[in-house]
Amino acid sequence: MKRFIFCLLALLIFISVSPASLSYAEETSEYIYTVLEEDFESKNFNGWYPLGGQSVLTLNSDGGHSGDYSLYASDRSASWSGPTLNTSNLLVPGQAYHFEAYVKSSIDESTILWSIVIEVPTEEGEVYANLSTTNVSGWTKLSGDFELPEDAISSNIYFEASDTDVNFSIDDIVITGKSKPSVTSISPESETFEYNFSFEEDLNNWKPRGTPVLERSSTFSHDGQYSLFTSNRTKTWMAPMVNISSMIKPNTRYEYSAYVMYNGKEYEETHVFLLEIQYNYDGKEEYIEIASKEFQKGTWSKISGELIVPPGAIDIHLFIQTANGDKENLTADDLMPFYIDDITIQNSTVKHRKEMIQLAVIISLAAVILALGTLIIVFAAKRLNETNNVLLEASIDTMTNTFNRNSYEEQISIFEKNPQQCRKLFFTVCDVNFLKHINDNYGHEKGDNAIIRCASLLIRSVGKKGQVYRTGGDEFMCITKSDLTQNINRALSEEALDYKGYPFAAAVGTACFDPKTDGAAPDIKAIITRADKEMYKHKEILKKQMKDFYNIE
């Protein structure tokens, strides 16, 4: 036992101080390491999307090359329109890689050629390399090698076929490294990955968007003595902005955050602010919302979000403004002056990589300190269990046991990025009726109980056919694989008959993808809007049915 403990301690010390723990294992200069393995057996797209939106991708369950699933490309409009994957976070500039994949054609035609292509934007321009081209008969292997240029900004791989009328499947994509990247090539210190604006010295190159007045102010600040104050706004879009063209790389994910505060007795207690980016792309001005958040008056609050600017975007600006509201009837609240402070732009990839390295160091040092015997294994298992519990709790609404608002927003973000996932889903909005009346006349405890009753009913009705999210105080969203509206309404009606000291009712509205309304691609926001309208129609019906029970407007 003493020898075992001594050897374990020595091994942990070696791991904690060895550079290999922070980069790649020192084995041999000719070793091969796996960068990507994708067989689609997870039944997810895992980042694959149609290049240029010029094809339709689906998960094919008729059998893959080595498993049950493959990725199927159809409705192609160009030879290059097919599945593509952004590999910027996988491939390191200056390193060589080997690519393998299997392709199967929808028809047997020997004159058609299939290819794997890699696209690499560099400082000198776009680089396209054909990694492999061949005729396909059944499942056919494509393979090739490529060394990423030293000045590569990003990279994408995609599949193409010479005949646009041909559909095809891909499966078992594997990328392996042919030479070991050096530690310096992946070190966060090799580039500036974070920019901060605190206004302690000057305006930090922030300028007015339109004709508002910008000035450093010591009246309020989030951290330090100064913040940036914006006033004399006559349009909601008139706001503070900064040119970030030289700070960010296109096709790279960045996290943007800022602290915002407004004050004044004449303004409402809460107001929505937007964190946005504008840039020029293909001769057009584009405006992209990074995040929106409702702020409490008199309190510094953080707004943050992530965004990828496409290659070719120029004249890129970051700005913060109040929400548009009713454009035809702007109020003083829409045009209120406000303060901003401690704005941060971070390269998400490098940030997460640095965090992982820091975490590796912390774990290694902790392991050395705690390596007093086999008790360290028990302790590590306990910590892992606690971490999993914390992650689970973070996604659950403690009051109702449904998924919380953060989980809902993450799911909606996924649908926005991959709208095709919405095609076979149903979105049911549910809202507890007369909650204010219950709170005012029966007490807030009864109001909370009504919310919990509604949540429990939805969870039972949905079961394993979907997920239930609490999106607001008494508002819920059910995302299901089939239309459960009748089941939910039946359960609600039965529950309403069970009088528990207060009236109970809930309105329901369901919507799904409609090709006639949505066009070729689902629009998640439009679908949810239709569901809301159906819910409000139901709410009015319930009010009329229950008007004799108590007087309510």
Side-chain angles (χ1 to χ4, degrees):
M1 179 60 71
K2 289 181 179 180
R3 289 182 180 178
F4 170 76
I5 294 174
F6 175 78
C7 292
L8 178 62
L9 183 60
L11 177 61
L12 290 171
I13 293 174
F14 172 77
I15 292 173
S16 66
V17 300
S18 169
S21 65
L22 304 183
S23 56
Y24 297 90
E26 296 284 352
E27 293 181 3
T28 170
S29 59
E30 298 298 324
Y31 85 118
I32 296 177
Y33 66 98
T34 301
V35 177
L36 171 72
E37 289 183 324
E38 180 58 74
D39 58 8
F40 304 106
E41 296 305 305
S42 64
K43 303 178 186 179
N44 292 313
F45 288 88
N46 295 329
W48 290 83
Y49 63 96
L51 183 60
Q54 300 299 307
S55 63
V56 175
L57 299 186
T58 54
L59 289 170
N60 188 351
S61 61
D62 293 336
H65 169 252
S66 62
D68 296 328
Y69 286 87
S70 61
L71 187 62
Y72 186 66
S74 59
D75 297 334
R76 302 170 57 249
S77 59
S79 61
W80 48 262
S81 56
T84 185
L85 177 70
N86 187 314
T87 54
S88 303
N89 297 338
L90 302 175
L91 308 185
V92 179
Q95 303 304 315
Y97 296 92
H98 180 70
F99 301 80
E100 292 183 1
Y102 285 85
V103 178
K104 183 179 181 181
S105 172
S106 61
I107 64 173
D108 187 11
E109 176 56 62
S110 60
T111 61
I112 301 173
L113 295 177
W114 273 261
S115 303
I116 304 179
V117 181
I118 185 166
E119 173 198 14
V120 183
T122 69
E123 296 176 0
E124 300 296 326
E126 298 278 348
V127 173
Y128 291 88
N130 195 326
L131 303 177
S132 179
T133 298
T134 186
N135 300 112
V136 170
S137 177
W139 282 107
T140 303
K141 182 178 180 179
L142 300 177
S143 64
D145 298 285
F146 183 74
E147 182 173 329
L148 215 63
E150 292 283 357
D151 61 346
I153 297 173
S154 60
S155 61
N156 295 278
I157 61 170
Y158 62 92
F159 292 78
E160 66 177 24
S162 58
D163 189 336
T164 59
D165 294 328
V166 176
N167 304 329
F168 61 93
S169 299
I170 63 171
D171 199 7
D172 291 336
I173 301 97
V174 178
I175 304 176
T176 51
K178 299 296 289 182
S179 63
K180 180 179 62 178
S182 64
V183 176
T184 56
S185 67
I186 63 171
S187 171
E189 279 66 39
S190 63
E191 62 174 306
T192 302
F193 74 99
E194 180 175 328
Y195 294 90
N196 297 287
F197 304 93
S198 63
F199 311 109
E200 294 303 306
E201 302 293 335
D202 51 37
L203 293 183
N204 293 162
N205 295 319
W206 283 74
K207 297 179 180 180
R209 187 168 185 257
T211 59
V213 175
L214 269 58
E215 58 183 321
R216 289 171 65 230
S217 173
S218 59
T219 305
F220 298 102
S221 67
H222 173 255
D223 186 18
Q225 296 182 350
Y226 292 92
S227 63
L228 183 63
F229 181 60
T230 304
S231 59
N232 292 359
R233 303 169 61 236
T234 57
K235 301 289 184 182
T236 55
W237 55 263
M238 292 186 176
M241 71 175 185
V242 64
N243 191 314
I244 59 173
S245 302
S246 62
M247 302 176 192
I248 66 172
K249 295 179 180 179
N251 216 26
T252 302
R253 184 177 298 278
Y254 286 86
E255 179 184 281
Y256 303 85
S257 65
Y259 285 87
V260 182
M261 195 270 280
Y262 73 95
N263 205 9
K265 295 181 179 179
E266 66 271 35
Y267 302 118
E268 57 191 358
E269 291 300 316
T270 62
H271 199 81
V272 176
F273 282 78
L274 307 177
L275 182 62
E276 297 190 82
I277 270 187
Q278 74 173 56
Y279 53 78
N280 191 296
Y281 182 77
D282 197 20
K284 297 181 180 179
E285 200 99 289
E286 301 286 349
Y287 305 93
I288 310 297
E289 180 182 304
I290 301 173
S292 66
K293 185 175 181 180
E294 187 173 26
F295 286 78
Q296 187 75 32
K297 181 171 66 176
T299 301
W300 284 101
S301 297
K302 183 179 181 180
I303 183 172
S304 63
E306 292 188 339
L307 183 72
I308 298 175
V309 174
I314 60 174
D315 197 23
I316 308 166
H317 288 79
L318 176 71
F319 63 95
I320 303 163
Q321 69 166 75
T322 50
N324 287 332
D326 186 348
K327 296 181 181 180
E328 296 182 357
N329 299 291
L330 295 178
T331 66
D333 295 292
D334 297 321
L335 305 175
M336 70 172 72
F338 58 89
Y339 301 83
I340 64 173
D341 201 1
D342 293 331
I343 297 92
T344 301
I345 302 173
Q346 291 181 303
N347 184 318
S348 299
T349 302
V350 180
K351 173 192 171 186
H352 296 157
R353 185 183 297 149
K354 186 176 182 180
E355 289 174 348
M356 290 302 295
I357 291 175
Q358 292 173 342
L359 181 62
V361 173
I362 293 172
I363 292 175
S364 298
L365 292 177
V368 172
I369 296 172
L370 297 174
L372 300 177
T374 56
L375 289 178
I376 187 174
I377 299 174
V378 176
F379 181 79
K382 181 180 179 181
R383 289 293 299 273
L384 179 61
N385 186 53
E386 291 174 352
T387 301
N388 290 336
N389 289 337
V390 169
L391 291 175
L392 179 60
E393 291 173 0
S395 64
I396 298 298
D397 178 64
T398 55
M399 176 179 171
T400 62
N401 286 325
T402 61
F403 286 97
N404 60 25
R405 177 75 185 190
N406 287 338
S407 298
Y408 171 71
E409 291 179 348
E410 290 176 3
Q411 186 60 60
I412 294 302
S413 176
I414 292 173
F415 289 145
E416 289 176 338
K417 296 174 183 176
N418 301 281
Q420 299 300 336
Q421 295 185 16
C422 302
R423 281 180 170 272
K424 297 182 180 180
L425 295 177
F426 292 80
F427 298 83
T428 302
V429 179
C430 184
D431 184 275
V432 177
N433 261 24
F434 320 127
L435 184 63
K436 185 177 184 304
H437 179 84
I438 297 173
N439 286 332
D440 292 345
N441 294 275
Y442 300 89
H444 285 272
E445 183 178 349
K446 296 294 186 182
D448 289 347
N449 184 258
I451 294 172
I452 294 171
R453 285 174 70 184
C454 183
S456 299
L457 182 147
L458 292 175
I459 292 172
R460 292 196 304 271
S461 299
V462 170
K464 296 182 179 180
K465 297 180 180 180
Q467 303 289 356
V468 181
Y469 300 84
R470 185 184 182 190
T471 59
D474 61 339
E475 300 169 354
F476 298 89
M477 169 66 80
C478 304
I479 302 177
T480 59
K481 299 176 182 178
S482 58
D483 188 357
L484 301 179
T485 310
Q486 291 185 355
N487 294 350
I488 294 173
N489 275 325
R490 186 184 306 112
L492 284 169
S493 299
E494 293 174 356
E495 185 69 19
L497 299 175
D498 185 9
Y499 185 73
K500 297 182 178 180
Y502 59 89
F504 176 81
V508 172
T510 299
C512 62
F513 169 62
D514 182 0
K516 294 181 180 179
T517 303
D518 297 318
D523 183 342
I524 182 61
K525 291 184 178 179
I527 294 173
I528 293 174
T529 298
R530 294 200 299 271
D532 279 330
K533 289 181 179 179
E534 293 299 317
M535 183 271 291
Y536 280 111
K537 291 179 182 179
H538 189 204
K539 184 179 285 287
E540 292 303 317
I541 294 173
L542 292 175
K543 284 184 178 181
K544 293 178 181 179
Q545 292 175 348
M546 301 183 71
K547 66 180 181 179
D548 295 333
F549 191 89
Y550 54 86
N551 185 23
I552 195 167
E553 295 182 357

